[in-house]
Amino acid sequence: MPPIFSSDRLPTKEHYFKIKRLLNPDKNSRGIIYHRGADIELRDDTDVELDFRNESNFVYLTGVEEAGFHVVIDLFTDLVYLIPPTVPDNEVLWSGAPDNAAALLQKYDADAIVSEADLPGLLMQIDPNVIHILDTTDTTALCEAGVDFDRLEFTALKIAMHEARLTKFPWEIELVRYACHISSHAHIALMQHVKPRQMERELEARFRWECARNGMHRQCYLPIVASGPRAATLHYTKNNQIIPSGPHSLVLVDAGGERRCYGSDVTRTFPSSGTFSPEAKTIYEIVLKAQEAVLEKLKPGVLWTDMHQLVVRILSHELVRIGILVNADPEELVEMGVIRAFYFHGTGHSVGLDVHDVGGRGAGILSCNSSAKNGKSSTSSSVSKQQLLTKPLEEHMVITVEPGLYFNETSLAMWTKVPYLRKYFNMDRIEQYRPVGGVRIEDTVLITSDGIENLTIAPKTVKDIEAVMALDRQH
Ligand code: GLY
Ligand code: MN
Ligand code: MN
């Protein structure tokens, strides 16, 4: 597939036809889809614009990354009407002239451009008996056009949208692949430039810069640059501490850029000194073993709950092997869910226009209270609550695989204070490993017809990371 440039028109009408198949409208009915993109917002009490990123469902339907557009799609004629925002003359002085209709039709996969002033006329002309919107759609324009709200349908479009977004077209995969490859290179750059006593923010800035100079000026989510004990905080985004220089000191970087709004989600964990300490290496290789076991098994038909359970089993057995978990058979510990003291998130999720993409969203972080009541837990029900993917894997899905192990103070305190659980934790051994902080290894992968394509190409074995870090270190 040729590269997709910033100026290329994305064939988003393919998305409309996919959604139409899923909506399966009555052939005689006259329905439309209406949706409105996000608008620019200002800082309170100022005229300073907040950073803008369009709403993902609108991007899915139209490819429009600019603010203030609406779309009407006629389910009978399949015509896509794009409605740009009205720009008053005095605003043109400040912001420049907007694109004319011809330019918009070049940029976007639409059939006609309609002004906001003509939207009521368009709606009157189509006279739809059903208007499919999302529960989040801003309906102000419909209200102003005097639309009968009894005709609004809030549910079917959302269901169809989530289903459609779960599997990707080749051009969407190309965008995600690009985002993953550039993000992988940005991770390598951080491995090569990290040094103890540096600010975490400096690595964040370099990551953003590496992405931006390769056409990805926006991040898919706030980068996490978590050094030392902060690596045990899953969504640490303050990035405002100094990277420690201790022998165990790891830096966990969870960051991914986005290309034309298509994202990537990548985590690498590496030693600030360039060399893993024995304890850091042990924990790191356990997490890698769990990740590689899942990557080997992935293919269409696989259940995500089984993959999570595989990670739980490997991590539990390995923590018994190194003496952190004690006084029980590993399988008993698996059944009790004790590993959640060290591993308290799901094993992955769908990625696309959002980092936690639609199509099986709804994870929760579990505590010991909800997972191992009275020393027993229903492994299957607690695991299913953690899942971000709820249906068997299909070809063309893009998902993450992201096991981790964390020495998180709050989690450990919660678990080890429960009297009937305390005996399973070897506190001396935990103290030995606590300075490691946390390890997560996260790849974004594509499900193919018989396995995966790993879209993430940053090194991840201890040997490869140490080799990359030894190369060109700018100390
Ligand atoms: N970056 C967020 C996550 O890994 O899910
Ligand atoms: Mn993730
Ligand atoms: Mn991540």
Side-chain angles (χ1 to χ4, degrees):
M1 186 153 184
I4 298 173
F5 296 103
S6 313
S7 55
D8 285 347
R9 184 165 85 152
L10 301 180
T12 47
K13 214 159 162 183
E14 289 183 1
H15 287 163
Y16 158 67
F17 283 116
K18 190 175 185 183
I19 285 170
K20 184 179 176 182
R21 275 196 299 281
L22 292 161
L23 280 175
N24 195 18
D26 187 328
K27 295 223 166 15
N28 300 317
S29 84
R30 196 75 205 266
I32 64 166
I33 292 170
Y34 171 80
H35 194 37
R36 187 170 186 169
D39 241 322
I40 286 173
E41 290 185 34
L42 302 179
R43 259 190 230 169
D44 284 349
D45 216 11
T46 72
D47 60 358
V48 178
E49 289 178 11
L50 295 177
D51 197 19
F52 178 78
R53 199 278 196 182
N54 213 349
E55 188 269 326
S56 295
N57 292 306
F58 196 81
V59 176
Y60 191 78
L61 284 172
T62 64
V64 173
E65 294 179 48
E66 305 168 71
F69 281 64
H70 323 228
V71 68
V72 169
I73 312 181
D74 187 331
L75 286 157
F76 189 70
T77 61
D78 297 327
L79 291 176
V80 175
Y81 300 92
L82 197 58
I83 299 109
T86 311
V87 183
D89 285 348
N90 63 348
E91 206 179 306
V92 173
L93 289 180
W94 291 92
S95 312
D99 287 319
N100 61 24
L104 289 172
L105 288 173
Q106 278 250 315
K107 276 165 81 172
Y108 302 121
D109 200 2
D111 298 292
I113 306 298
V114 174
S115 70
E116 280 186 324
D118 290 337
L119 177 57
L122 174 69
L123 293 170
M124 208 184 297
Q125 179 203 319
I126 299 176
D127 191 22
N129 61 347
V130 53
I131 302 177
H132 292 282
I133 62 168
L134 298 172
D135 52 5
T136 48
T137 303
D138 177 348
T139 53
T140 312
L142 298 183
C143 221
E144 285 167 3
V147 162
D148 174 1
F149 270 47
D150 285 348
R151 297 182 191 184
L152 297 187
E153 214 306 324
F154 293 87
T155 317
L157 180 59
K158 186 157 193 158
I159 293 170
M161 187 73 89
H162 284 205
E163 178 73 20
R165 283 176 56 183
L166 197 51
T167 52
K168 274 74 176 173
F169 285 96
W171 59 269
E172 297 181 279
I173 291 166
E174 193 49 39
L175 290 169
V176 174
R177 184 184 284 114
Y178 184 88
C180 289
H181 283 190
I182 296 300
S183 298
S184 298
H185 286 296
H187 277 275
I188 292 171
L190 298 203
M191 289 176 193
Q192 294 183 328
H193 287 90
V194 66
K195 48 191 171 201
R197 313 305 301 162
Q198 207 173 26
M199 286 295 288
E200 292 165 343
R201 276 264 182 255
E202 196 177 323
L203 288 188
E204 178 186 342
R206 182 169 281 273
F207 192 92
R208 289 179 180 275
W209 179 73
E210 292 286 352
C211 289
R213 75 194 188 99
N214 285 290
M216 300 202 298
H217 66 279
R218 247 191 336 253
Q219 293 293 301
C220 190
Y221 50 95
L222 289 180
I224 296 163
V225 182
S227 62
R230 294 165 289 281
T233 302
L234 300 184
H235 282 178
Y236 169 82
T237 52
K238 288 185 190 150
N239 303 348
N240 62 359
Q241 297 298 305
I242 292 172
I243 295 171
S245 55
H248 300 294
S249 174
L250 293 179
V251 188
L252 183 157
V253 180
D254 183 346
E258 65 177 33
R259 174 79 171 158
R260 307 287 300 264
C261 293
Y262 282 86
S264 56
D265 189 6
V266 178
T267 307
R268 287 294 180 265
T269 309
F270 46 88
S272 66
S273 66
T275 312
F276 284 85
S277 71
E279 282 81 3
K281 180 169 186 256
T282 299
I283 298 301
Y284 187 91
E285 288 189 327
I286 290 172
V287 176
L288 186 59
K289 179 177 179 175
Q291 199 215 29
E292 284 179 337
V294 172
L295 293 175
E296 239 170 66
K297 287 229 159 7
L298 292 182
K299 61 178 181 184
V302 164
L303 290 176
W304 198 242
T305 44
D306 291 345
M307 295 301 95
H308 183 72
Q309 196 56 15
L310 177 61
V311 169
V312 164
R313 287 195 69 238
I314 291 173
L315 298 182
S316 303
H317 279 251
E318 289 292 312
L319 291 199
V320 170
R321 180 179 66 78
I322 65 169
I324 284 183
L325 292 176
V326 288
N327 291 326
D329 177 79
E331 283 303 307
E332 226 180 291
L333 293 166
V334 169
E335 195 49 38
M336 283 192 289
V338 169
I339 196 64
R340 273 190 287 280
F342 306 93
Y343 180 48
F344 34 88
H345 59 77
T347 293
H349 51 85
S350 185
V351 178
L353 285 166
D354 289 300
V355 60
H356 294 165
D357 213 28
V358 292
R361 200 160 50 177
I365 290 173
L366 293 181
S367 69
C368 51
N369 300 333
S370 61
S371 54
K373 286 202 181 84
N374 306 320
K376 287 199 179 355
S377 86
S378 156
T379 315
S380 54
S381 71
S382 52
V383 164
S384 68
K385 274 192 227 158
Q386 284 188 313
Q387 299 311 311
L388 286 162
L389 286 160
T390 50
K391 53 189 290 197
L393 297 181
E394 288 172 45
E395 190 179 1
H396 302 143
M397 281 183 176
V398 176
I399 59 168
T400 67
V401 183
E402 52 177 306
L405 278 175
Y406 310 92
F407 294 86
N408 177 291
E409 265 183 45
T410 311
S411 176
L412 287 174
M414 277 195 317
W415 281 81
T416 55
K417 80 172 183 221
V418 181
Y420 58 83
L421 293 174
R422 202 175 291 148
K423 65 173 187 241
Y424 301 120
F425 296 93
N426 177 348
M427 292 315 292
D428 289 342
R429 201 46 66 88
I430 287 175
E431 287 318 313
Q432 181 190 343
Y433 283 98
R434 200 191 278 270
V436 170
V439 170
R440 177 162 65 256
I441 307 171
E442 176 173 28
D443 288 349
T444 301
V445 306
L446 168 70
I447 305 297
T448 61
S449 59
D450 58 355
I452 58 163
E453 175 190 339
N454 196 333
L455 303 174
T456 310
I457 53 174
K460 62 181 173 180
T461 64
V462 164
K463 191 164 154 267
D464 287 350
I465 288 177
E466 288 184 347
V468 161
M469 294 186 76
L471 209 69
D472 289 338
R473 291 213 84 192
Q474 299 190 351
H475 276 218

